[in-house]
Amino acid sequence: MRKDCEHEDEEYKKRAEVRSQEQVALAETIKILTEDDARDLYDKTMSFLQVDAASTAAARERAVSRVVSRIAKIAKAHKNWALVGLAVRVRLDAFTKVKEAM
């Protein structure tokens, strides 16, 4: 039993050391990310992200269209009306988001 306790104590010390190192690393990371240089870089990349968001929205719409087509095809093959309803709801949800954006 004493051997087990010693082993557990050693394991605890190792875990505590690792946690301490992780805390130091996180503190350094936060310091780096909140510096002025990091903020300047972030400001420069925002315009790129905004352009990318538009292409992401178009890609999302194409993906929704493919999903609806595939669900409808499977629903027709299996004569499953629940899947047909799902395809219609997916399509309508996509249009709801477009209408909200206007």
Side-chain angles (χ1 to χ4, degrees), residues 2 7 10 13 20 22 26 33 40-41 44-45 59 71 75 86 89 91 99:
R2 183 175 207 137
H7 177 70
E10 289 175 22
K13 287 179 183 178
S20 173
E22 288 174 348
L26 286 172
L33 291 175
D40 291 340
L41 182 61
K44 290 177 184 176
T45 59
I71 291 173
L86 175 65
R89 280 195 308 263
R91 175 59 69 194
K99 289 177 186 176

Side-chain angles (χ1 to χ4, degrees), residues 50-100:
Q50 290 171 349
V51 169
D52 190 44
S55 63
T56 302
R60 185 180 304 125
E61 181 57 35
R62 287 191 304 271
V64 166
S65 180
R66 286 194 315 261
V67 166
V68 168
S69 297
R70 178 165 272 173
I71 291 173
K73 183 178 177 182
I74 292 170
K76 185 177 179 182
H78 295 284
K79 297 179 183 174
N80 187 332
W81 294 107
L83 283 178
V84 172
L86 175 65
V88 170
R89 280 195 308 263
V90 168
R91 175 59 69 194
L92 291 177
D93 285 344
F95 283 119
T96 302
K97 291 177 184 176
V98 170
K99 289 177 186 176
E100 288 175 3

Side-chain angles (χ1 to χ4, degrees), residues 15-38:
R15 288 192 310 266
E17 178 64 28
V18 169
R19 285 190 189 117
S20 173
Q21 291 172 355
E22 288 174 348
Q23 289 175 344
V24 170
L26 286 172
E28 290 175 4
T29 302
I30 291 171
K31 180 182 173 191
I32 290 169
L33 291 175
T34 56
E35 289 178 346
D36 290 336
D37 294 338

